[in-house]
Structure formats: structure tokens, C-alpha cells
Amino acid sequence: MSEEGFDREFDYVIVGAGSAGSVLADRLSAGGAHQVLVLEFGGKDNSIFIQMPTAFSIPLNKPRFDWGLHTEPEPGLHNRSLHQARGKVIGGSSSINGMAYVRGCASDFAEWAELGARGWDYADVLPYFRRAEDCIYGEDEYRGTGGPVGVCNGNNMRNPLYRAFIEAGEQAGYGKTGDYNGYRQEGFCRMDMTVRNGVRASTANAYLKPALKRDNLQLEMHALTQRVIMDGQKAVGVEYQQRGRIMRVRARKEVIISASAFNSPKLLMLSGIGPAEQLREHGIEVVKDLPGVGANLQDHLEVWVQQRCTQKITLNGWLNPIAQGWIGARWLLTKTGLGASNHFESNGYIRSRPGLKWPDLQYHFLAGAIAYDGSSAVKGHGFQVHLGANKPHSRGRVWLNSADPADPPRMQFNYLSEEADKQAYRDGLRLTREIFSQAAFDPYRGEEVSPGRDVQSDDEIDDWVAQSAETAYHPCGTCRMGEDEQAVVDPECRVRGVENLRVVDSSIMPTVTNGNINAPTIMIGEKAADHILGKELLPPSEAEVYFSQGWQEQQREGSPTRQLD
């Protein structure tokens, strides 16, 4: 150990090799001017269950790859505790997620800017989405090519059920969009996934592993970061435990926390940065009283609306061991076939009621009737849509379990604590049933399996949602970006009132986006890298965005206001 008490020195120390941390590892080490260290508690990602897209549900339940976090009992979900899977592996949650690539609606980023995240409006962030992307469809003012993250549609909707879902959406009056990640989110469309050449395009594959060829980037795995080392209100390094040893590393320039919406606030609090009363409760010296650390926790819930299928064409027919063996063998040999897709190949975005300018409901359509984590499946053949009310009003919190860095944080989302969130699911189920009733599904539609025909009234729907809703694994908001007293980081991701310390991950989102959050988390890493390096930001985009002209009076495009039964 050196005389200053540190084992080593780097310019930048990044805590977490996940969706944002891997991006930073690449961008900050590019050019060779800076020495960069990445600390990751997990290990390697060399498992077929990670790399083969169709197997994505398996790592969600493996302690080797998942932190194993659970919520406190949730009153709005009949006091159920939900498993909140987070990636404990290089690539973080991008290595165990469902690979859905959804940027969000343009209005999401306008909302961020209105809440104090100056410079994060849609025009500001679109260039960073484009920089990250290598889109198989080609380049335009919304899409990028040549970036690290491969984006495609999997098997190009070969199963007719995917096309039937898009057609049903059109028949119900919602319209079709050519690209929900482009000019227009609202409507029905083929769905994108982060897959390149049949292999998961995690941030480990896209950014981290190529960057590790550089001499100025070092990765330490199985390293549990215990605290940020502070000199007054200045971050000077990091203390971590690895293989039974305590290591201290100095950061000559900055410490950057990219440890997730759960572990980033936990690490700040362990370092004396957070709500003073809570820190004192655990015997932690208060370095900076920041009451917003751990607050503003948000997530998406989703429910599965399932139908039996009258034709034997669904994924349920491929669940037997022989069929699964064939899928795996074909993927290993050619990286093609059902193994190369996450099977969410079409989706939709609609408004739950008149008076909304932008969509608030999201659909992922699956040509099978199977639990997201693979734990259960409908007997026979079926299909389903994952329905999410994506602009929740409910807010929760993350707080410390103890001052022991090995203890998991505690968390409670307060799901469905706001009446508006319950109403969105009531409307959403009824609108979904209407979509499934369209002519496009006539050749395939059997009886409704879930929730079933007996669930009709508001109370019955509320009870079904409370009993069956699961997390969509989109936690965010606990180190909110802004400029008010509850904000944790400023618009350049710097922790307020603390020098040389930033947070860069989904925890800085002021509000959750209308869609899966991996794509915006990657974008956050891309944009934050330019802030950290002091680079001139990419010029704002001038691309136009769509909204329905009749949104004040109409729930859907080109149709009168409909009274839901």
C-alpha cells in the first residue's frame, strides 16, 4: 500500500459494469489518454443462457447472475413481495434482460427537461441514441448504424400471430407506425431487440469486451464496492472487497457510480451521502445531507392477457425437451432459428383515455402463452400480450438495511397506491379485449385464459391485477436528476454538493420512460461520457415527432371517444 493509503491509482473509477457502466468504460478509455478501472461484483457472461436470446428467462433466476433482490410486501399487490432481478454479471441487467429495445416517447424526455434535467429533451438525447445503435433497418434522422449495439427484429415476424396483432391494432382504429423508435411511437409495429447476428447484444458484448483490449482499461470482477472514500465533500477513491481482501483505489479525476437504481443509492448512503436521519440511524457519518437519495423509486408493472389459440402454431408447441434441444443445437451451429429471438416481435403503444397527448399503455405481443420467467405455460396452444401502464403516479423508496455493504438494500415501490394507476389497468384490460376481438384474430382466437371472462367489473379487474401483476424489471429514479432540493445529481450527472462524484445509470431518470429502460440507460451512458470528458455535446436533432391531432377528445386516432363497458 502506498504512503497515501491507496493500493493503486486511476483517472476514473467506475462502479458497475452494467448497461451504463460498460458504455462509460469504453468511451472514457477510448484514445488512451485516461487510466480507467471498472469494479464489478459479478463475473463473466460466458453462458449459453445469457448469449442465446431465447434463453433469457433462465439467468433471471440464477444466483450466479442475479442479485436476488426482493421488495418489501407491497400493499397494492395483496402484500406480495416481488423478485427484482438485477444483473450480477458483466453487462449488468443488459445481460439478463428480455432484450427489448424501446427508446421511449419523445414526451418522456420533454418531461425530464421540465423537471429540471436541462439538456435532456428529446432533441438533445436523440443523437446519443443514434450513436449507440447499429440498426439493421438502416440509417435515417432517427436511426443510427455503425454503433456498438446491434438492433433487429429477431425472426422478422415469421409467425402469423405477430402480424395479426399489428393488423388488429389497425382494425381497432389505432393506426400502424413504421418505426415506434422513430418519428411515431403511437400505434402498432414490429418490435426491436438488442440482438446482433443471433447473439445477445449486451453492453458487455457491445462495449466492454472490445474496450478491454486497451492497456488503459482494467476490469476487476467479484469486487464488492463498500464505500466511496471521501476527503471532506470530495470523492477521492473507492474501497472494495475482493476475495477476502480490502482494497483501496484512488481516483485522480472522478468516481462514477453505475450500480443500478438499487445499489447506486445504497452506495451513496454507505458513503455518508443521503438522508441524514437515516444515515445516523445506521451509525454512518453524514458527509452530505441529500434527502432525495433513494426516493422517487419507479417501475413498470405488467399483466399478461392470454388467449387460447385454435391453430397449433404457437411457441407452446416448442416447450418439450426434444424441441428445445433442436432449437439449442440449431442456434449453436448457425445462430439462427427460434433461439435467435426473444419472441417479442410485435408491439403497440396506445393512450388509455382521451385527453392524453402521448401513449401511456405498452403492449409486447408473444406468439405463446408463457410466463415471462418461464415458470409456467398454458397447456395446449395460446398467445398473450404483456400490458403495461407505463406512466405510473405511484412512487417508492430504497433505504439501507444496515451499514454492512454485504446486506441488500430494502425497497418498496408502493405499486398501485394511486387511483390513476389502477384506472389505467382497468381501461387497459378492456381496450386489450377489444383489440383481441378484431377480425385479424378470427382464425386464431380461442377462449380467454387470463384473466378469464368472469373478470369484468372494476373491483374484479383490480383484484386480478393485484394478484397477478409482475414487475417489468424497469426500476429507476432513486438518484433523480434535477436542480431542486430533492434532486441528487445535476444535469451533468454530478452529485449535488459533492466534488468528483457522479451517478450514471437508470437511477438518475426523473421519471420512467414509456417503454423498456435499457435503451435509455445506454443513452444516459453515452451522453454522460461526453459530460465527463468535457467534450462538446452532439448537436441537437431537428427531427420531427408525431402526436395525434385529436388527442383532447379522442382516445385513438380517427375514432370518436369510446365509452368503455
Side-chain angles (χ1 to χ4, degrees):
M1 184 174 286
S2 69
E3 61 184 17
E4 294 88 359
F6 288 95
D7 299 283
R8 292 181 296 168
E9 290 189 356
F10 291 82
D11 292 310
Y12 297 104
V13 179
I14 302 166
V15 180
S19 296
S22 291
V23 176
L24 293 174
D26 179 14
R27 298 305 187 190
L28 298 187
S29 64
H34 304 109
Q35 297 294 315
V36 180
L37 173 67
V38 183
L39 299 173
E40 169 57 47
F41 185 49
K44 294 181 179 179
D45 64 344
N46 53 354
S47 165
I48 186 176
F49 301 129
I50 287 177
Q51 302 301 335
M52 182 168 63
T54 195
F56 71 86
S57 66
I58 297 174
L60 286 172
N61 297 296
K62 284 191 173 294
R64 175 184 167 191
F65 303 124
D66 169 40
W67 281 83
L69 303 175
H70 289 79
T71 71
E72 299 290 303
E74 292 285 350
L77 300 180
H78 291 344
N79 288 316
R80 289 186 293 133
S81 173
L82 297 192
H83 173 215
Q84 276 284 346
R86 292 288 88 190
K88 190 181 67 178
V89 59
I90 59 170
S93 295
S94 76
S95 290
I96 69 167
N97 68 0
M99 290 158 285
Y101 185 80
V102 186
R103 293 173 171 180
C105 192
S107 64
D108 295 327
F109 306 103
E111 185 177 40
W112 288 12
E114 290 167 6
L115 292 172
R118 289 178 295 105
W120 293 79
D121 208 336
Y122 182 66
D124 303 307
V125 303
L126 179 54
Y128 289 97
F129 279 117
R130 294 182 72 247
R131 186 168 85 179
E133 186 180 77
D134 186 18
C135 180
I136 198 170
Y137 318 127
E139 185 174 3
D140 60 23
E141 59 184 333
Y142 305 95
R143 291 294 198 159
T145 56
V149 181
V151 176
C152 71
N153 179 245
N155 284 318
N156 300 314
M157 301 191 297
R158 289 192 179 95
N159 191 303
L161 288 167
Y162 294 115
R163 294 188 294 274
F165 182 66
I166 296 172
E167 292 166 11
E170 288 187 90
Q171 290 167 354
Y174 292 105
K176 180 179 180 181
T177 174
D179 185 358
Y180 70 98
N181 279 319
Y183 165 66
R184 170 177 170 168
Q185 186 189 55
E186 184 167 353
F188 287 68
C189 189
R190 54 104 184 97
M191 192 169 187
D192 295 345
M193 61 187 73
T194 49
V195 173
R196 185 197 291 274
N197 298 324
V199 177
R200 176 192 289 271
S202 67
T203 57
N205 286 338
Y207 290 93
L208 181 62
K209 287 190 276 190
L212 284 171
K213 298 173 184 176
R214 302 171 188 147
D215 293 336
N216 62 317
L217 175 63
Q218 186 166 335
L219 168 67
E220 293 287 350
M221 293 181 285
H222 308 294
L224 177 64
T225 300
Q226 303 200 116
R227 65 185 178 101
V228 178
I229 301 171
M230 305 296 298
D231 181 3
Q233 294 191 337
K234 178 181 180 180
V236 296
V238 165
E239 180 180 281
Y240 66 96
Q241 184 180 45
Q242 185 183 48
R243 300 181 182 92
R245 294 181 60 199
I246 301 297
M247 306 290 289
R248 290 161 58 89
V249 58
R250 177 185 289 279
R252 289 186 288 260
K253 291 181 179 291
E254 293 188 11
V255 173
I256 304 155
I257 302 175
S258 300
S260 84
F262 305 131
N263 286 321
S264 288
K266 171 190 167 183
L267 183 55
L268 285 177
M269 289 185 278
L270 289 174
S271 307
I273 302 165
E277 183 178 347
Q278 185 184 159
L279 301 184
R280 293 190 185 105
E281 178 185 329
H282 294 289
I284 299 170
E285 181 183 350
V286 178
V287 173
K288 177 65 178 177
D289 181 12
L290 277 183
V293 173
N296 193 47
L297 177 62
Q298 299 164 56
D299 187 22
H300 291 146
L301 285 175
E302 63 180 23
V303 290
W304 310 322
V305 183
Q306 298 177 321
Q307 299 273 162
R308 294 202 184 279
C309 185
T310 57
Q311 296 190 33
K312 297 179 180 180
I313 58 172
T314 74
L315 296 170
N316 293 65
W318 291 88
L319 297 179
N320 65 80
I322 294 175
Q324 289 181 328
W326 163 249
I327 291 171
R330 179 177 176 182
W331 183 85
L332 285 168
L333 292 171
T334 68
K335 300 299 186 288
T336 62
L338 291 176
S341 176
N342 65 4
H343 307 296
F344 295 112
E345 296 185 14
S346 60
N347 65 351
Y349 300 85
I350 67 174
R351 289 170 283 126
S352 62
R353 57 180 172 80
L356 296 177
K357 191 173 182 179
W358 309 96
D360 65 324
L361 300 180
Q362 178 186 23
Y363 293 119
H364 302 51
F365 182 80
L366 184 68
I370 310 163
Y372 184 89
D373 65 0
S375 60
S376 61
V378 169
K379 292 183 179 180
H381 283 269
F383 53 85
Q384 71 190 35
V385 71
H386 294 219
L387 163 66
N390 274 8
K391 300 302 290 184
H393 295 258
S394 302
R395 298 289 184 268
R397 174 175 283 278
V398 170
W399 65 99
L400 290 178
N401 198 35
S402 76
D404 183 352
D407 273 356
R410 298 173 68 186
M411 65 197 71
Q412 188 166 51
F413 288 85
N414 296 317
Y415 293 116
L416 303 174
S417 59
E418 298 289 334
E419 179 66 19
D421 296 347
K422 295 180 181 179
Q423 188 60 48
Y425 280 100
R426 296 167 193 152
D427 293 341
L429 175 60
R430 290 165 178 148
L431 294 167
T432 304
R433 284 170 161 166
E434 183 188 19
I435 292 165
F436 276 164
S437 73
Q438 300 301 310
F441 277 112
D442 285 352
Y444 315 109
R445 187 193 320 104
E447 66 178 1
E448 182 178 285
V449 177
S450 176
R453 66 179 71 181
D454 293 339
V455 176
Q456 298 292 338
S457 70
D458 284 0
D459 288 345
E460 289 164 346
I461 295 173
D462 289 350
D463 186 62
W464 169 67
V465 172
Q467 285 184 346
S468 65
E470 294 290 345
T471 173
Y473 305 105
H474 302 160
C476 64
T478 50
C479 298
R480 178 171 67 82
M481 178 167 47
E483 298 176 315
D484 59 90
E485 290 305 308
Q486 285 292 315
V488 176
V489 300
D490 71 10
E492 292 191 23
C493 308
R494 298 172 295 203
V495 177
R496 294 175 56 248
V498 178
E499 295 181 65
N500 298 349
L501 181 62
R502 302 195 202 222
V503 179
V504 179
D505 58 22
S506 68
S507 71
I508 74 168
M509 296 180 180
T511 53
V512 66
T513 52
N514 186 34
N516 308 67
I517 66 169
N518 192 235
T521 303
I522 293 170
M523 176 276 292
I524 287 170
E526 287 277 8
K527 188 169 186 288
D530 282 359
H531 287 299
I532 293 165
L533 294 172
K535 286 188 172 183
E536 184 176 352
L537 298 179
L538 298 180
S541 171
E542 297 182 358
E544 296 181 351
V545 295
Y546 165 90
F547 64 90
S548 175
Q549 296 297 322
W551 62 270
Q552 295 94 336
E553 294 82 27
Q554 296 178 350
Q555 180 265 329
R556 68 196 78 181
E557 184 182 63
S559 66
T561 298
R562 303 196 183 196
Q563 183 67 43
L564 296 173
D565 297 331

